[in-house]
Amino acid sequence: MTSVTNFQAPCPARDDVQLRDHTTFRMGGKVPVLLEPRNRDELVAAVQRLRVDGIPYRMLGGGANILIDDAGLDEAIVLTTGFAFMVRENDEGTELRLGAGLSIPQFVTKTREMGLTGAECLVGVPGTMGGATVMNAGGRHGWLSSIAKRVRYLTPALDEQEDAVGERTFGYRSSMFDACVVLETVVALQRDAPKAVQERIKTILKEKSAAQPLIEPSAGCIFKNPDGHSAGKLIESAGLKGARVGDAEVSTKHGNFIVNRGAATFRDVLQLIRQVRKGVFEHAGVDLHTEVKIWSREPLELSASSRP
Ligand SMILES: Cc1cc2nc3c(=O)[nH]c(=O)nc-3n(C[C@H](O)[C@H](O)[C@H](O)COP(=O)(O)OP(=O)(O)OC[C@H]3O[C@@H](n4cnc5c(N)ncnc54)[C@H](O)[C@@H]3O)c2cc1C
């Protein structure tokens, strides 16, 4: 087994990288190596080499749905943002193949310019198309699953495969790709006038920026919506908007967002997550579960009664 410090990457790579600079929460310590593949071959080779050398790794897109320990991690990180492309898949130009690292906002803008509708489900969502595929990103205006047609990916055994999307491919904030590496997503959109698409985007953005803290550092929604409930409304009803631990604060705009007021630490956020779970459970008898991915060396206990 090769140690992570002696690892020879088959693509550009950097040692001792702070993940804080790669997350929207502005949080996360050092990792020994960050690999930055620039195309599909490099991405596949990077993951295969890590596997052969027995080095644990994690996939990172835009870091918009992750809370990372400031104490750092021992794993290698494969950053997909250099593998970003968009090409036509059919003659009409309504089907597009997207590299995993393509930024979601870029996808929304480009397809609007091309006179295509469908990407509106991802307006105001930061991150990459790979992350959006794994998380089935979206919300009340639709989900990635409503436009995804095929996905090319590496299976957990690292076999490269491309499958049509089926009934079981996506779930609520989840997909069958959780333990896979998403390489490319093919989406099917419809023709529409760019002006009409722009109007819809403007309306959605206006609505979102009134209801969500889109400018402050955060990782989006912290909790999944429990069946029949809105996590944000439950948190608000429990009087927890504005609750604070250190520089971590439950947004006063939207109860399901925790924002970093400047110097919030990983432990501050964890403590606040526990407080919110406890408060909501005591107030409404509902147990909230995290949507945000939490990366740490330590096994974490997030139940409402546990202490940091
Ligand atoms: C202000 C704000 C608003 C948001 N609004 C929304 C919203 O409206 N709807 C919504 O759904 N989400 C929302 N989010 C959350 C986030 O934007 C989405 O979940 C997005 O899809 C994350 O993409 P990413 O590339 O940043 O993924 P990351 O955060 O980098 O990764 C998320 C998970 O996917 C895995 N992953 C990433 N890329 C790959 C890949 N290529 N192959 C395999 N695994 C991979 C990672 O290992 C991790 O487990 C919001 C976040 C913020 C900060």
Side-chain angles (χ1 to χ4, degrees), residues 16-177:
D16 286 333
V17 176
Q18 286 281 356
L19 289 185
R20 180 181 305 120
D21 304 331
H22 294 280
T23 66
T24 53
F25 224 156
R26 311 293 298 151
M27 221 174 283
K30 272 190 183 174
V31 285
V33 63
L34 179 107
L35 288 85
E36 298 178 280
R38 296 160 298 185
N39 51 49
R40 186 165 89 199
D41 287 351
E42 284 189 354
L43 175 48
V44 172
V47 174
Q48 281 172 343
R49 180 75 61 81
L50 287 162
R51 175 68 65 86
V52 167
D53 287 358
I55 295 172
Y57 64 91
R58 295 179 190 262
M59 300 301 299
L60 181 64
N65 204 46
I66 309 184
L67 169 60
I68 304 177
D69 199 330
D70 331 285
L73 305 168
D74 300 321
E75 291 113 328
I77 298 292
V78 181
L79 181 70
T80 61
T81 51
F83 175 43
F85 72 91
M86 180 162 108
V87 292
R88 284 169 170 237
E89 188 74 359
N90 64 352
D91 291 343
E92 301 79 50
T94 50
E95 289 182 17
L96 303 167
R97 180 173 290 268
L98 316 169
L102 180 71
S103 110
I104 301 169
Q106 245 182 340
F107 166 64
V108 172
T109 305
K110 286 252 185 274
T111 51
R112 183 207 71 206
E113 288 167 1
M114 291 162 74
L116 293 170
T117 180
E120 293 93 312
C121 60
L122 296 177
V123 168
V125 181
T128 62
M129 291 308 299
T133 304
V134 174
M135 300 300 301
N136 188 17
R140 52 192 292 260
H141 300 285
W143 302 89
L144 187 277
S145 54
S146 56
I147 54 170
K149 200 170 176 201
R150 283 194 303 283
V151 180
R152 189 170 195 90
Y153 62 103
L154 296 178
T155 65
L158 299 193
D159 296 321
E160 194 169 331
Q161 228 164 274
E162 181 161 323
D163 290 337
V165 165
E167 259 180 30
R168 282 200 287 258
T169 311
F170 293 105
Y172 168 61
R173 295 277 197 254
S174 66
S175 71
M176 57 168 272
F177 307 110

Side-chain angles (χ1 to χ4, degrees), residues 120-306:
E120 293 93 312
C121 60
L122 296 177
V123 168
V125 181
T128 62
M129 291 308 299
T133 304
V134 174
M135 300 300 301
N136 188 17
R140 52 192 292 260
H141 300 285
W143 302 89
L144 187 277
S145 54
S146 56
I147 54 170
K149 200 170 176 201
R150 283 194 303 283
V151 180
R152 189 170 195 90
Y153 62 103
L154 296 178
T155 65
L158 299 193
D159 296 321
E160 194 169 331
Q161 228 164 274
E162 181 161 323
D163 290 337
V165 165
E167 259 180 30
R168 282 200 287 258
T169 311
F170 293 105
Y172 168 61
R173 295 277 197 254
S174 66
S175 71
M176 57 168 272
F177 307 110
D178 215 28
C180 303
V181 175
V182 171
L183 301 171
E184 294 165 3
T185 305
V186 176
V187 292
L189 307 175
Q190 314 283 324
R191 287 257 157 240
D192 199 354
K195 218 169 156 201
V197 181
Q198 174 60 12
E199 279 311 306
R200 282 196 292 277
I201 291 176
K202 246 172 80 182
T203 307
I204 296 169
L205 264 183
K206 200 167 157 203
E207 186 187 291
K208 278 199 165 184
S209 54
Q212 298 178 3
L214 296 184
I215 313 269
E216 290 162 287
S218 80
C221 287
I222 293 287
F223 299 102
K224 292 182 181 172
N225 287 324
D227 267 352
H229 294 280
S230 144
K233 292 255 158 55
L234 287 168
I235 293 165
E236 185 173 351
S237 306
L240 289 160
K241 267 181 156 182
R244 196 160 170 159
V245 176
D247 259 358
E249 183 182 281
V250 175
S251 167
T252 48
K253 241 181 180 181
H254 193 303
N256 203 8
F257 280 64
I258 291 179
V259 293
N260 180 353
R261 286 289 191 184
T265 65
F266 177 70
R267 307 273 145 198
D268 291 340
V269 180
L270 287 191
Q271 181 59 9
L272 193 53
I273 288 176
R274 290 185 189 109
Q275 261 185 37
V276 169
R277 284 190 72 183
K278 185 166 188 278
V280 168
F281 191 73
E282 285 174 359
H283 184 260
V286 177
D287 198 6
L288 294 177
H289 295 281
T290 46
E291 167 184 323
V292 68
K293 304 278 182 187
I294 303 177
W295 292 359
S296 174
R297 289 187 183 112
E298 312 286 329
L300 296 168
E301 173 50 69
L302 282 178
S303 71
S305 57
S306 64

